[in-house]
Amino acid sequence: MRAETTANIEKIQNSLTLLGQRMDIETAPFRLEEFNARVEDPDLWNDPEKAQKLMRDRQVLVDKIKQYEAIKRGVEDNAELIELGEMEGDAEVVAEAEAALAALVEDAAAKELEALLDGEADSNDTFLEINSGAGGTESCDWASMLARMYTRWAEKQGYDVELQSFSAGDEAGIKSAVYKISGHNAYGWLKSESGVHRLVRISPFDSAAKRHTSFTSVKVYPVVDDNIEIEVNPSDIRIDTYRSSGAGGQHVNTTDSAVRITHHPTGIVVTSSEKSQHQNRDIAMKALKSRLYQIELDKRSAKVNEVHENAGDAGWGNQIRSYVLQPYQMVKDLRTSFETSDTQGVLDGNLDGLMASVLAMDVSGKSRAEANAGD
């Protein structure tokens, strides 16, 4: 067996070891039996929300067991095929099995990384807030590009994306937008995107075709479920209703149904303008609780998560990532130094490499300065 193949098998087995530890593979079958017994309870659906959470948790466990078993079976089967192929002198069988192992290394590494999403709220749905910054129309256009990028990424993950509020730019793009992204580990993946994103390109709005720099801020915070209690003192908030404005179509709202909630102690302002006034009030209050919960998570975190560092104005000095389209093609994360020249792929939602680099840095406990010092 070639040294490269032996190394690939070792990598996969190391990933399996970590996966097994994270999911406690020895007790997984017993936990699944317990879930199955609870699912058969005839009174389960008396509380639909509790039942849905139970079903989601059960499915997560089922998926983890299937993934673990598939990787384990894949490495064992292909290792056996290679041995048989070498014994019989069948180079084609050996080559196919080696290629399968090489692909399995990447799949196992991805599952290993996903297993590290075990933070308190990592498995939750998430709110994604985008606000244009320095740069005027350029920045509003950049904000719309980021909204498209994250929507594409979420759809590729099989997540549901729901627009919560929207404010159009004066000439193009968007001033601000808030999305709710629903799916397992949505917050865990997207939390790495909080911060200021910088774009350098030839402006499509400049007749002189000069290069422009634009900034847009992204904020990510987990959706608070019913198991997390966040108290909001009614005297600490102001609720305003107003007539929302938009770019037309689904964003047109002809009644004063939009809701804005201001939380005085923190200065947090949340809005919702896509539903009825009653629904908007409920959505905005949930968004406020999620923001307050995010602040509490940041306070409790023992690691340097840089949220406060990244919460500055959307302009020079606060960016976490640069997207350069001119005079060369490069997307670079400034926290990890991960970079790629596939700018179009990134803008089309291929963000996994960028997100994974930040997640790996967070798991290692490194700060941004420490990560950059290692370059």
Side-chain angles (χ1 to χ4, degrees), residues 253-325:
N253 206 320
T254 57
T255 63
D256 293 338
S257 64
V259 172
R260 179 191 298 112
I261 299 180
T262 304
H263 187 249
H264 298 299
T266 61
I268 291 173
V269 178
V270 294
T271 63
S272 181
S273 57
E274 294 300 308
K275 314 284 182 182
S276 68
Q277 186 174 123
H278 176 75
Q279 289 174 307
N280 281 329
R281 185 182 294 256
D282 182 57
I283 290 170
M285 185 57 72
K286 287 181 178 178
L288 173 60
K289 289 183 177 181
S290 293
R291 290 283 295 275
L292 294 174
Y293 179 54
Q294 178 67 61
I295 291 175
E296 183 60 28
L297 284 179
D298 296 343
K299 289 179 180 177
R300 279 191 252 159
S301 177
K303 299 177 184 176
V304 179
N305 57 30
E306 303 180 14
V307 170
H308 296 295
E309 177 184 346
N310 296 333
D313 293 335
W316 289 102
N318 297 313
Q319 62 264 25
I320 62 167
R321 189 177 299 150
S322 288
Y323 305 71
V324 181
L325 306 185

Side-chain angles (χ1 to χ4, degrees), residues 27 49 62 95 104 140 204 293:
T27 67
E49 290 189 7
V62 168
L104 195 57
C140 289
Y293 179 54

Side-chain angles (χ1 to χ4, degrees), residues 139-170:
S139 181
C140 289
D141 189 54
W142 174 219
S144 67
M145 291 169 65
L146 284 175
R148 174 184 177 276
M149 180 182 78
Y150 288 120
T151 299
R152 290 273 181 107
W153 175 83
E155 290 171 346
K156 289 178 181 179
Q157 309 305 309
Y159 292 162
D160 293 327
V161 180
E162 183 180 1
L163 183 64
Q164 302 288 292
S165 65
F166 179 91
S167 177
D170 293 333

